[in-house]
Amino acid sequence: MFFINVFYVLCAICFALYYFVRKQNGNVASTTKDSSISNFQKTYLVVYALAIGADWLQGPHVYALYESYGMTTHQIKILFVAGFGSSMVFGTVVGSFADKYGRRNNCIIYGVLYGMACVTKHFGNFWVLMLGRLLGGVATSILYSAFESWVVYEHSARGYDSDSLNTLFSQATLTNSLVAVGAGLAAQLAADCFGFV
């Protein structure tokens, strides 16, 4: 209970600091006056929050899930290294896929790959889980590159000013943090109620 109370206090402090900084920087409001920019930013933030939320939602309990399947510590280590290694190897070529097939298509590929990776978590077989970790690694590489490149391209194509892009990335960082905390709480609640799968 102590940690929950500390969490609420820290949330209150963070929100107070957010509004204080926002009030101090009057330029934030001025960069979002145009309704087309505002709609563009809101659309991006909703899509980004859903995409990043998928990653944050399943992340906290992956180790416990593998453990519940009877995997040894060594097997779990291999699965994690495979996932991070996959992200490292494929992350170097993901950008070229976006250039060749389009940034929007790359983001759609993220959704398909990540969905397939999540489906594999319902099987207690080491090799199926390995496939899921490899798919998840590729999807994570796309997540942390394609969405930003897509929004930068669209932002430039629409002729918006650079200040509004700075504001958008600031809001995306805040959104990522809020989604991470919310997803962690939701994942814990779901795990408490239904188990790890």
Side-chain angles (χ1 to χ4, degrees), residues 103-122:
R103 290 164 182 86
R104 178 180 179 269
N105 288 337
N106 207 19
C107 293
I108 291 170
I109 289 170
Y110 158 78
V112 171
L113 290 176
Y114 210 82
M116 291 168 52
C118 288
V119 167
T120 64
K121 290 191 172 46
H122 292 276

Side-chain angles (χ1 to χ4, degrees), residues 52-66 80 84 114 118 121 133 180 183-184 187-188 196:
I52 203 83
D55 189 46
W56 284 117
L57 192 59
Q58 59 87 30
H61 295 290
V62 173
Y63 188 94
L65 174 69
Y66 294 159
F80 273 91
F84 295 127
Y114 210 82
C118 288
K121 290 191 172 46
R133 290 300 294 180
Q188 184 62 51
F196 296 118

Side-chain angles (χ1 to χ4, degrees), residues 124-137:
N125 181 286
F126 177 80
W127 295 108
V128 173
L129 294 171
M130 176 64 77
L131 175 65
R133 290 300 294 180
L134 295 174
L135 292 172

Side-chain angles (χ1 to χ4, degrees), residues 2-97:
F2 171 75
F3 293 108
I4 299 296
N5 291 332
V6 170
F7 171 73
Y8 290 134
V9 168
L10 291 175
C11 283
I13 291 170
C14 286
F15 283 119
L17 287 173
Y18 172 75
Y19 284 112
F20 174 75
V21 169
R22 189 169 176 174
K23 206 174 233 191
Q24 292 294 320
N25 298 332
N27 62 350
V28 172
S30 66
T31 61
T32 58
K33 280 184 181 174
D34 184 10
S35 66
S36 67
I37 293 174
S38 181
N39 289 337
F40 174 75
Q41 290 176 338
K42 287 176 187 173
T43 301
Y44 172 74
L45 290 173
V46 167
V47 171
Y48 180 72
L50 291 171
I52 203 83
D55 189 46
W56 284 117
L57 192 59
Q58 59 87 30
H61 295 290
V62 173
Y63 188 94
L65 174 69
Y66 294 159
E67 199 173 49
S68 74
Y69 285 147
M71 301 286 164
T72 65
T73 303
H74 181 70
Q75 288 174 314
I76 295 171
K77 288 177 186 177
I78 290 171
L79 289 169
F80 273 91
V81 168
F84 295 127
S86 168
S87 185
M88 176 186 70
V89 170
F90 291 108
T92 59
V93 296
V94 162
S96 65
F97 289 153

